[in-house]
Amino acid sequence: MHASSSRSSSTNNRPDEHRDRTSPLHSEGKPPSHAPSSPGLTLVATPIGNLGDFSPRGAEALASADLILCEDTRTTARLLTERSISARTEALHEHNERQRIPGLIARLQDGANIALVSDAGMPLLSDPGFRLVRAAIEANVPVTVVPGPNAALTALVLSGLPPHPFMFIGFPPPRSSARKESFAKLHAAERAGLSATLIWHEAPHRLAETLADMAEIFGPTRPCAVARELTKKFEEVRRDTVGELAAFYATTPPRGEITVLLGPAEPEQTSEDDLDTTLRSLLETHSVKDAAALAATAAGLPKRTVYTRALELAAEIKVAKS
């Protein structure tokens, strides 16, 4: 995003001169504290690897909270100890968030100052908290944020891929068939005009298979980057085609927190060979009908035409296996 300003050299005579010169972004002195301390819900970003990235404002927000909601209290305890923060913590995760919301909203309405953190990075992004935030908004409870580290954006600016537009998708499905279906839908959106850098998080033990599935659906020559252990001692970003990266990680198991980025597709028409490759891949895990439907959507072709070709390929595959 870009910020613009309408101020000119004549602003020295404006009545808001004093306010501009004492803004925290321009003052030479210590900026005033803006850490939330009033009743409400505060979302606080935490480091994604390097504890030095935790902001003073974030520390102040946690220190002043009546309660800190954590994805894992043990993980957050290390951060609190590092900053000598003594505050009450409770767990809020995907397994208990829905059940805890009524009680938490009642406490917020009674005037509690509650902070929400995830294990790392911005709360809600691939982490718990969305249901609570939505419930707080619906209950007219004040909600604010102390921004900070974010793995997806950090990886994006390091990737060398176009930084905007981009689409953060979260974690891909863990099973290959579901992953391919998810990728096929995104590829269909690209055929319909979507052009963006795509971003996922992924577990290290699934990375090679996920990259292989990407290569099958999106094509092996798409530019790709794999960011690992960002802000930590062994930070690494590998940049290559998705096919080459799939081959590399198939023989070099990775470790640590991983973010995968896929560059935008080049405008091109789907060839018959592309369609056959997609269909053959989908027929390994889908029925002829489902494979044809996914391939037709991805290619932007009539379903009847693709279904006919899928039947032909399914017959060829059956003969080859017999």
Side-chain angles (χ1 to χ4, degrees):
M1 296 180 67
H2 299 279
S4 62
S5 172
S6 61
R7 290 187 296 176
S8 66
S9 59
S10 63
T11 55
N12 289 338
N13 297 322
R14 287 174 53 183
D16 58 355
E17 174 193 359
H18 178 73
R19 181 185 63 195
D20 289 344
R21 294 199 305 180
T22 57
S23 166
L25 294 178
H26 303 286
S27 173
E28 294 181 0
K30 181 179 179 181
S33 170
H34 292 285
S37 58
S38 57
L41 178 64
T42 303
L43 314 178
V44 182
T46 55
I48 60 175
N50 191 319
L51 290 177
D53 293 337
F54 192 41
S55 71
R57 184 168 175 251
E60 187 176 349
L62 296 188
S64 64
D66 300 316
L67 171 66
I68 302 173
L69 299 173
C70 317
E71 186 178 1
D72 187 326
T73 56
R74 295 165 298 181
T75 300
T76 301
R78 292 194 288 271
L79 176 64
L80 299 181
T81 299
E82 174 72 18
R83 291 302 180 95
S84 300
I85 296 172
S86 177
R88 181 181 177 185
T89 62
E90 293 180 5
L92 183 79
H93 45 70
E94 60 179 336
H95 303 296
N96 72 357
E97 183 178 4
R98 190 183 300 275
Q99 293 80 6
R100 296 212 56 196
I101 284 176
L104 291 171
I105 294 299
R107 293 166 73 172
L108 287 164
Q109 290 177 324
D110 286 341
N113 174 20
I114 298 179
L116 171 66
V117 299
S118 63
D119 284 350
M122 284 292 293
L124 278 68
L125 299 183
S126 294
D127 291 316
F130 171 68
R131 294 188 183 94
L132 176 60
V133 169
R134 184 168 58 182
I137 292 171
E138 291 176 352
N140 293 319
V141 170
V143 180
T144 188
V145 64
V146 179
N150 177 271
L153 293 181
T154 302
L156 178 62
V157 299
L158 289 175
S159 68
L161 298 171
H164 56 78
F166 68 87
M167 179 183 291
F168 174 66
I169 302 154
F171 281 86
R175 297 178 63 86
S176 179
S177 58
R179 273 200 306 269
K180 289 180 181 178
E181 183 172 351
S182 174
F183 294 160
K185 290 179 180 178
L186 285 169
H187 195 40
E190 290 179 333
R191 297 290 185 188
L194 173 67
S195 180
T197 295
L198 307 178
I199 307 174
W200 296 265
H201 293 321
E202 186 53 290
H205 66 279
R206 288 197 294 264
L207 177 61
E209 293 180 358
T210 293
L211 290 170
D213 289 344
M214 285 183 184
E216 285 190 22
I217 301 301
F218 294 102
T221 61
R222 284 281 285 273
C224 184
V226 174
R228 187 178 67 85
E229 293 291 86
L230 292 172
T231 76
K232 300 179 183 179
K233 181 179 181 180
F234 297 105
E235 176 181 291
E236 177 186 63
V237 181
R238 286 191 172 271
R239 308 168 183 89
D240 209 324
T241 65
V242 64
E244 290 296 328
L245 288 173
F248 174 81
Y249 285 109
T251 59
T252 311
R255 294 181 179 180
E257 304 292 331
I258 292 170
T259 301
V260 180
L261 306 96
L262 192 69
E266 294 291 335
E268 61 181 358
Q269 295 295 321
T270 300
S271 69
E272 184 176 344
D273 288 343
D274 292 334
L275 178 61
D276 283 3
T277 299
T278 301
L279 282 172
R280 288 181 185 278
S281 174
L282 290 171
L283 285 169
E284 293 178 3
T285 53
H286 292 73
S287 67
V288 173
K289 180 180 178 181
D290 290 342
L294 287 170
T297 300
L301 295 173
K303 291 184 178 180
R304 182 173 297 181
T305 301
V306 178
Y307 181 69
T308 299
R309 183 57 182 157
L311 285 173
E312 294 172 351
L313 290 175
E316 292 177 9
I317 293 171
K318 184 177 181 178
V319 170
K321 290 182 177 180
S322 62

